Amino acid sequence: MSFVALAQFFARDVPGLAAGPDGADLVQLLRCPLTHGRHLERRYLLRWRYATSTESTGRFLTAAPEVPLLPWEHELPEPCVLHPEQVDTYPWAEDDTLPAALIARIDAWEDAQTAEGGRDAPSYQGALSIPPGWRVGGFPSWASTGPMDITCACAAPMRLLLTAEGYEMDADSHSWMPLEDRDPSLQGMASIQGGQSVTQPTRLRFGRDRDLHVFTCLTDPGHPPRWVLS
């Protein structure tokens, strides 16, 4: 069974994309179309390549690969083009990801926002620190698991290479929504204009609507990556 291609990123298009082993400048994310084990786990594959060699016309396929038979619609990605945008992000505020005094200030600010604006009030995690959707670099979100210490098998620390997420926007991410895709007079999900093609352009899901974080070794990017659903 062939892996299904989910995304590819060229270093020339994505500022800050971590270099691959031996200077590889193209990274591809793939997923096995089958589930594995009694927990129906997913298996992913990270491939590093050189843009100059992959873009040679002699390597292009003459026919598109046959689409595998998949049980669910969200298993097959919707073809789309990425338009990277560089934004400032900040760490998840929990445990020791930030100084305790700063987390206490964030909590107090969120309480005040909720008291004033109700359930659609902005939060640090959703509206200010980490954008939803596909992203390269930055900080991981830990909504489902809480902060985790990610280390390589060689004991070296690992950095976040990329995050794959099914939804590009949600009720808690009003500040990240493109202006052309929202009604500024509304908040939360009600403000989103355009339906599924806007909120879920790739049509993919990861786990139970979680983020798939891909970490690579800081010492040697050729070491096996780690996959974390959070």
Side-chain angles (χ1 to χ4, degrees), residues 17-28 45-50 152-154 156-161 214-227:
L17 179 66
D22 300 320
D25 58 352
L26 166 62
V27 64
Q28 298 171 326
L45 187 64
L46 197 69
R47 278 281 185 258
W48 289 97
R49 304 183 186 276
Y50 299 97
C152 182
C154 71
M158 305 187 85
R159 64 180 165 191
L160 181 62
L161 173 69
V214 185
F215 292 87
T216 55
C217 180
L218 273 171
T219 302
D220 185 346
H223 288 174
R226 285 194 62 182
W227 316 90

Side-chain angles (χ1 to χ4, degrees), residues 103-119:
I103 292 180
R105 289 178 59 190
I106 291 172
D107 290 342
W109 176 82
E110 289 186 334
D111 290 343
Q113 294 297 310
T114 301
E116 180 179 345
R119 65 178 185 178

Side-chain angles (χ1 to χ4, degrees), residues 13-17 83-89 131 134-138 176:
D13 297 328
V14 184
L17 179 66
H83 300 280
E85 180 181 1
Q86 198 165 11
V87 298
D88 292 327
T89 61
W134 291 71
R135 49 196 183 270
V136 172
W176 299 105

Side-chain angles (χ1 to χ4, degrees), residues 3-162:
F3 277 68
V4 175
L6 302 186
Q8 68 176 10
F9 301 90
F10 291 86
R12 64 175 183 240
D13 297 328
V14 184
L17 179 66
D22 300 320
D25 58 352
L26 166 62
V27 64
Q28 298 171 326
L29 176 65
L30 306 99
R31 181 168 70 181
C32 179
L34 304 179
T35 55
H36 300 266
R38 62 189 183 94
H39 298 297
L40 304 179
E41 297 174 351
R42 288 292 185 184
R43 292 182 181 174
Y44 296 90
L45 187 64
L46 197 69
R47 278 281 185 258
W48 289 97
R49 304 183 186 276
Y50 299 97
T52 53
S53 61
T54 57
E55 292 178 320
S56 170
T57 55
R59 298 176 64 91
F60 290 170
L61 296 176
T62 56
E66 183 178 350
V67 177
L69 181 63
L70 301 171
W72 305 102
E73 183 183 66
H74 64 259
E75 300 297 311
L76 185 67
E78 181 73 21
C80 56
V81 177
L82 296 171
H83 300 280
E85 180 181 1
Q86 198 165 11
V87 298
D88 292 327
T89 61
Y90 301 92
W92 189 262
E94 187 178 352
D95 295 345
D96 58 354
T97 58
L98 288 172
L102 180 54
I103 292 180
R105 289 178 59 190
I106 291 172
D107 290 342
W109 176 82
E110 289 186 334
D111 290 343
Q113 294 297 310
T114 301
E116 180 179 345
R119 65 178 185 178
D120 287 331
S123 68
Y124 169 81
Q125 312 286 36
L128 300 178
S129 62
I130 302 173
W134 291 71
R135 49 196 183 270
V136 172
F139 299 97
S141 57
W142 299 114
S144 301
T145 63
M148 301 171 64
D149 185 24
I150 308 298
T151 56
C152 182
C154 71
M158 305 187 85
R159 64 180 165 191
L160 181 62
L161 173 69
L162 62 91

